[in-house]
Amino acid sequence: MVSLPMPQLPSEISGLQSLALDLRWTWSHTGDTLWTCVDEQLWERTHNPWTVLQGAPAERLKLLAADQKFREKLAAFVTERQRYLQTPGWFRGTENASQLGGVAYFSMEFGLGAALPLYAGGLGVLAGDFLKTASDLDVPIVGIGLLYQEGYFRQLVDASGMQQEFYPYNEPAAMPVEPVILPEDGWLRIGLELPGRTVQLRVWQATVGRVKLYLLDSNDALNSPLDRGITAKLYGGGSEMRLMQEIVLGVGGWRVVEALHPEVEICHVNEGHAAFAIIERARHLALKANLDFWAALWATRAGNVFTTHTPVAAGFDRFPADLLRKYLPYVEGALAGRGVKLEHVLALGRSNQDDPNEPFNMAFLAQRGSAMSIAVSRLHGEVSRRIFQPLFPRWPSCEVPITHVTNGVHIPTWDSAGSDRIWTQSFGKERWRSGSIEHAERIGEASDEELWAMRGEGRQRIVHNARIHLARQMRERGVDLEAIQSADTVLDPNVLTLGFARRFTEYKRPNLLLKDRNRLDDLLHNDMRPVQIVVAGKAHPADTVGKEMIQEWINLTRQPRYRRHVVFLEDYDISLAQELVQGVDVWINTPRRPWEACGTSGMKVLANGGLNCSTLDGWWDEAYEPSVGWSIGDGSGGAAEDVDARDAASLYDVLENKIIPEFYDRDAEGLPRAWLNRIRDSMGKLTPIFGSARMMRDYVQGYMPLAKAVRARMKDGCALAKSMNQWSRTLHSRWPSLHIGNVMVTRTDSTWHLVVPVYMGEVSPDWVRVELFADASPEYAPEVIMLHQEHAIAGSANGYIYAGAVTSARPLEDFTVRVVPYHPNAFLPAELPLIAWQR
């Protein structure tokens, strides 16, 4: 690999380049002192080693090369990096490591650090944490994304308090990325067929510890101005531009995988944006192995994973059918004579596969094309099963094949230096790389004085940083010097500090605290038990309501009465998020249940001794217990206005009667003992569970059987995949011929005995299972009882008697006989959602 031009480093300090290009510095801060030595001012401003190196004068580099202490320090850090890369991590040390060829993780955005601004919010930050964790745990994963010329917008609040958006250019030369250079062909470019032309996509790579992130970029001089702009803005442009971006990500991204990592067995699409990778993967195999497209899909689908992050069906990307017909005919053309028609491919993205005019839904394609579909919290799993119910007609929602892996956060990215010391004392430096923490309650061995000192350090730091941010905001707006100087008086490092930062949008209700100004005023101005609030967040450029919510907070902060107690920090990004989660005492989260798929911002305060106060939504619905934090409301539904009023009143009640009194309840030594006990419980019980190491282990547990399945389907010229494709087609065409007769019931003691005739028609009895099913109810969990085949029905054509017994305590009328497909190698009902019920 080569990099773009930069000042020539003296050979004595050439190791700086590899350190600067490894984004491990976004979570391992042992090398920060190196960059301070190079250019302290530029380092403090950018926290981007690559920018620091590029900005270093040649004379400065020569001086460093001649400085023996600096060279020794550099050598130590280079050695430490090599040790990290070469020492086997958790996964490589497991007995099953050889059973996973590799994973390609596709995401529209990646939030690795402020130096690589390729993210908008939680989806991207989660994807960044995912790659960092893969590096720490040594899981064979590569990332696939886009290199945006402008990325997501930067925020400025104008004099009226309204958000304005700016799109600074992302100069690749200033970013810690390198072009992918092949030994014989030079810079890797991927050709992508779009209507009437082939677009050239340049391929870059970012190094994330042990992991590579490949980024596609259409800004190539060989392309037209329109095509050069495909990768201009994250989530920018209209429907057609969005479709082109998703084709670049999915189709172009899979071609990168084939070119650089043919060993990959698992294709993991993080949200539906990248779902075209599923089609491209099958298309590529069909050409390579001389297969029918649908047989190729049966072969590859076993290795596809889809994570959905969307809690409402309206949030899925949809495209007009005619737009897809314009952009995807290459699929049909490239597979001429291989059993595929474009309309049949488009049906994969429709609820009603027979409606040619239904918009194409990317999430539907992702679900239908994946063996495993995953929601991002337990509650979101329940919601997602209802959302995807239309793809499984007549199947009970509890059996819609959506499982869940609750998100987690990469703790080394988010913990403070103070909390890191405490965790290290209890568990050692390698704790987050081991895959799990045993006996996390040992965090309780830290003394009250140590915990409170850590919290004090965090609070002091957020107050200090907030003042710097605020002064900078004022200067950029041209505020007078006296007002700028007043920024040094905002907030108090000894006062209970509430924080929240998020996308400002209606369902997140960021203004719930503003519902009752009198009660808020009392909280902020209580001389004995004061409260202060730090707020940050962006609204989507098209979200007028979200912008008005920001304006409401800005107007409050500009009133003299509130100026010292409430601060809004502009241009929320990863760096600002790190400052907030390391410093606040209580993280407030107020989404309207169940609209928060997971939410990870509150997880980031856990390791730092911050506490959560949230509605029972997303991750907090499964994490909350009274000893670790506080809940807002009771989770009950109703009209939005009524729920908002109840939740606002609950939030004030919790603050007034629980949070504030406990924080200020001090003993003779000035320590809040009950508060510190709560911190211990929260840190010990929740941090390991909602860390990304646990999340990664859960995903690996899912990957392993899929890798085995995809290998089996690929074996012997994809023989198994071909037979499964034929099984599916035959069963689908013959399914209407099957019907179920009347059930006969007898009883002995507490057992019901059932006998039922099933007439298979043209369906082989080996291809189905006959079952009794009872759905979930307030008293009972769902229940499935297998019926066994007793004998053939005399005189019938393919008719059989099935029998079984029910010993359940629930009423017999809860049960219904049904027939479902069966194949020992299929993922059902995900791959074939047929079902027949007794009429």
Side-chain angles (χ1 to χ4, degrees), residues 566-586:
V566 185
V567 174
F568 185 95
L569 303 178
E570 297 174 16
D571 202 27
Y572 182 49
D573 65 2
I574 286 179
S575 294
L576 181 52
Q578 288 170 322
E579 295 173 10
L580 289 172
V581 301
Q582 292 172 10
V584 300
D585 294 298
V586 179

Side-chain angles (χ1 to χ4, degrees), residues 422-469:
I422 288 177
W423 285 100
T424 300
Q425 289 169 13
S426 298
F427 302 103
K429 290 185 177 181
E430 301 296 312
R431 60 194 176 276
W432 308 122
R433 301 182 204 164
S434 65
S436 65
I437 281 190
E438 300 293 335
H439 308 296
E441 66 276 3
R442 286 212 311 266
I443 197 70
E445 296 173 5
S447 69
D448 283 354
E449 288 77 10
E450 288 175 309
L451 287 177
W452 194 234
M454 174 192 71
R455 292 300 316 130
E457 290 171 10
R459 206 178 307 106
Q460 291 167 33
R461 192 163 48 251
I462 187 60
V463 169
H464 172 74
N465 291 334
R467 290 171 177 175
I468 293 174
H469 277 282

Side-chain angles (χ1 to χ4, degrees), residues 147-307:
L147 185 69
Y148 300 101
Q149 289 110 58
E150 297 176 4
Y152 205 53
F153 72 90
R154 308 311 299 250
Q155 179 193 55
L156 178 71
V157 176
D158 65 21
S160 70
M162 187 60 69
Q163 170 184 289
Q164 301 297 327
E165 299 90 27
F166 295 88
Y167 293 86
Y169 180 69
N170 286 337
E171 173 55 57
M175 300 167 73
V177 297
E178 305 170 275
V180 174
I181 306 296
L182 301 180
E184 296 181 359
D185 301 322
W187 196 344
L188 176 61
R189 284 176 168 84
I190 299 296
L192 183 67
E193 304 85 353
L194 293 181
R197 77 275 194 196
T198 297
V199 174
Q200 296 298 319
L201 303 171
R202 303 185 299 188
V203 184
W204 305 77
Q205 71 170 12
T207 299
V208 188
R210 296 181 174 103
V211 168
K212 296 297 184 185
L213 167 61
Y214 298 103
L215 300 164
L216 292 122
D217 161 30
S218 68
N219 189 22
D220 190 299
L222 296 174
N223 296 328
S224 70
L226 170 66
D227 291 336
R228 295 182 71 171
I230 292 174
T231 57
K233 288 183 174 71
L234 172 58
Y235 304 137
S239 182
E240 188 162 1
M241 180 60 72
R242 183 72 166 261
L243 176 62
M244 285 192 287
Q245 284 188 338
E246 298 190 5
I247 292 173
V248 168
L249 176 61
V251 178
W254 186 257
R255 292 179 184 180
V256 171
V257 174
E258 290 288 350
L260 299 177
H261 292 280
E263 75 280 3
V264 160
E265 294 171 321
I266 304 298
C267 171
H268 186 164
V269 293
N270 187 40
E271 252 314 339
H273 309 124
F276 289 127
I278 290 168
I279 293 176
E280 178 61 16
R281 185 182 190 185
R283 187 194 74 88
H284 184 274
L285 180 65
L287 291 174
K288 179 181 177 182
N290 194 27
L291 294 177
D292 170 285
F293 173 81
W294 301 104
L297 182 60
W298 269 95
T300 56
R301 181 167 48 207
N304 295 338
V305 177
F306 165 47
T307 297

Side-chain angles (χ1 to χ4, degrees), residues 452-734:
W452 194 234
M454 174 192 71
R455 292 300 316 130
E457 290 171 10
R459 206 178 307 106
Q460 291 167 33
R461 192 163 48 251
I462 187 60
V463 169
H464 172 74
N465 291 334
R467 290 171 177 175
I468 293 174
H469 277 282
L470 189 59
R472 185 185 303 144
Q473 292 170 197
M474 290 179 172
R475 283 196 301 272
E476 291 172 352
R477 283 204 309 273
V479 174
D480 63 74
L481 181 60
E482 183 179 354
I484 294 173
Q485 291 173 339
S486 71
D488 287 338
T489 65
V490 302
L491 305 179
D492 182 333
N494 294 307
V495 166
L496 172 62
T497 304
L498 311 181
F500 64 87
R502 60 184 58 92
R503 180 164 57 92
F504 273 63
T505 191
E506 197 271 337
Y507 85 84
K508 290 182 180 282
R509 303 183 300 179
N511 290 23
L512 204 63
L513 258 176
L514 301 178
K515 286 283 187 182
D516 190 330
R517 293 295 179 89
N518 291 330
R519 293 179 79 172
L520 178 61
D521 192 87
D522 290 342
L523 294 177
L524 297 173
H525 295 100
N526 185 317
D527 291 336
M528 299 301 296
R529 301 188 307 186
V531 173
Q532 57 194 15
I533 307 172
V534 183
V535 185
K538 297 177 177 179
H540 187 279
D543 187 350
T544 302
V545 173
K547 291 182 178 182
E548 290 171 349
M549 290 177 172
I550 291 174
Q551 187 177 41
E552 191 175 1
W553 275 105
I554 294 294
N555 290 340
L556 182 76
T557 65
R558 292 179 180 175
Q559 295 178 36
R561 180 168 175 76
Y562 298 102
R563 189 169 292 151
R564 295 184 59 187
H565 307 282
V566 185
V567 174
F568 185 95
L569 303 178
E570 297 174 16
D571 202 27
Y572 182 49
D573 65 2
I574 286 179
S575 294
L576 181 52
Q578 288 170 322
E579 295 173 10
L580 289 172
V581 301
Q582 292 172 10
V584 300
D585 294 298
V586 179
W587 194 260
I588 306 291
N589 195 30
T590 54
R592 186 179 292 123
R593 176 187 169 100
W595 285 40
E596 185 91 293
C598 180
T600 58
S601 58
M603 297 178 187
K604 293 166 185 140
V605 306
L606 297 173
N608 298 301
L611 298 170
N612 280 273
C613 176
S614 174
T615 48
L616 293 171
D617 199 9
W619 77 283
W620 194 239
D621 180 67
E622 59 196 84
Y624 170 71
E625 58 180 78
S627 68
V628 298
W630 302 272
S631 65
I632 300 169
D634 59 7
S636 60
E641 282 189 11
D642 295 337
V643 173
D644 290 354
R646 288 199 309 268
D647 286 354
S650 173
L651 175 56
Y652 289 121
D653 288 342
V654 170
L655 287 168
E656 293 165 349
N657 301 318
K658 296 180 180 179
I659 294 176
I660 297 172
E662 188 171 299
F663 182 85
Y664 286 106
D665 180 18
R666 311 294 171 89
D667 65 7
E669 296 179 2
L671 296 179
R673 302 291 181 178
W675 187 271
L676 290 165
N677 286 336
R678 191 180 296 274
I679 286 176
R680 277 195 181 81
D681 278 351
S682 173
M683 291 179 74
K685 292 179 179 179
L686 302 185
T687 306
I689 296 174
F690 296 100
S692 56
R694 185 273 314 153
M695 175 185 70
M696 182 60 69
R697 293 196 313 274
D698 289 349
Y699 272 115
V700 168
Q701 189 174 8
Y703 292 153
M704 299 307 291
L706 299 188
K708 181 179 180 180
V710 79
R711 285 194 297 272
R713 294 189 188 188
M714 297 276 195
K715 189 178 179 182
D716 299 328
C718 302
L720 179 58
K722 292 176 184 177
S723 70
M724 294 179 77
N725 179 45
Q726 188 58 49
W727 164 80
S728 170
R729 288 182 174 182
T730 304
L731 195 55
H732 201 279
S733 66
R734 297 178 179 180

